[in-house]
Each structure stands twice: as structure tokens, then as C-alpha cells.
Amino acid sequence: MEQKGVRAVSKYLRISPSKARLVADLVRSKNVGEALTILKFTPKKGARLLSKTLRSAMANAENTKSMDVDVLYIKEIYVNEGPRLKRWRPRAMGRATRILKRTSHITVVLGEK
């Protein structure tokens, strides 16, 4: 049976899942060093949040599974939708419109090459 890998999960992040998925697609199945470099120079909020989750997964691999950080790669990376914050915006003639502020759960799974 194949080993699942080491994972890290960041939950309830205040970013839309569709925006975070754009950044996740950039680093899918890359080496962790290359992925961190890409995220460092990507000017999006999702890059900062994904970088933090990726660093957490690397620390988990190093400390709990005693894996070599130099040979790690991103086995899986996915962004799921979290709960939505519901807010109201005033509109014309005394009406109101609901605003959905979306949240995300980011999961990064690392494996050894």
C-alpha cells in the first residue's frame, strides 16, 4: 500500500475558493523549493496563505515523519469551500441585498520523490 504523505490544513481562511484555486494550480505537483519560489513572487493574497500552509506541511514532514525536505513535492493541493459569512448591504428604496463573504479550507499533501 502506498504511503499517503504528510499534510497540513488551513481552515476558515477569508478568501474566495475560486481565487485561491488560481494560485493552487500554479504549484500543483512541483518540488517544494520551486513552489515556495513561485508563491513568493506571485502578487496575490492566496499565494501568501498557500505559502503558509505549505511551510506547515514541510515542518510536519520534517518533525513527525523524519522526511528529507529536499526531496519533497506537492502530491495533492486542493481548496474547499468553508462556511459563508452572510452580510447585508443597503440598496435603493429601503431594500437590502445579501452579500456572501466566502471562506476556504486549504489542504496540502506532500510526498517524497
Side-chain angles (χ1 to χ4, degrees), residues 6-8 32 51-67 69 72 110:
V6 179
R7 62 187 218 135
V32 290
S51 176
K52 191 171 179 180
T53 309
L54 178 57
R55 282 196 175 93
S56 174
M58 288 169 61
N60 291 344
E62 193 173 15
N63 294 321
T64 62
K65 301 278 184 160
S66 300
M67 292 178 160
V69 177
L72 290 176
L110 302 180

Side-chain angles (χ1 to χ4, degrees), residues 1-112:
M1 190 170 124
E2 188 190 355
Q3 184 182 2
K4 178 68 176 158
V6 179
R7 62 187 218 135
V9 182
S10 296
K11 293 182 145 194
Y12 307 107
L13 301 174
R14 266 294 291 123
I15 186 171
S16 167
S18 56
K19 291 179 183 180
R21 284 184 194 118
L22 289 173
V23 181
D25 292 340
L26 292 174
V27 295
R28 187 167 281 121
S29 71
K30 298 251 193 309
N31 292 329
V32 290
E34 188 182 350
L36 284 173
T37 305
I38 291 169
L39 291 173
K40 183 177 179 182
F41 294 106
T42 304
K44 290 188 171 289
K45 178 181 178 180
R48 181 175 46 86
L49 299 172
L50 270 160
S51 176
K52 191 171 179 180
T53 309
L54 178 57
R55 282 196 175 93
S56 174
M58 288 169 61
N60 291 344
E62 193 173 15
N63 294 321
T64 62
K65 301 278 184 160
S66 300
M67 292 178 160
D68 185 15
V69 177
D70 298 327
V71 294
L72 290 176
Y73 75 104
I74 299 176
K75 194 177 208 178
E76 294 176 39
I77 184 167
Y78 48 91
V79 181
N80 294 329
E81 188 167 355
R84 298 172 184 167
L85 302 173
K86 288 150 183 106
R87 300 293 182 259
W88 295 94
R89 160 164 279 159
R91 300 306 294 260
M93 298 197 293
R95 292 182 175 89
T97 302
R98 187 160 65 169
I99 298 175
L100 296 175
K101 294 183 176 275
R102 298 173 192 276
T103 60
S104 301
H105 302 322
I106 297 176
T107 305
V108 176
V109 180
L110 302 180
E112 284 184 316

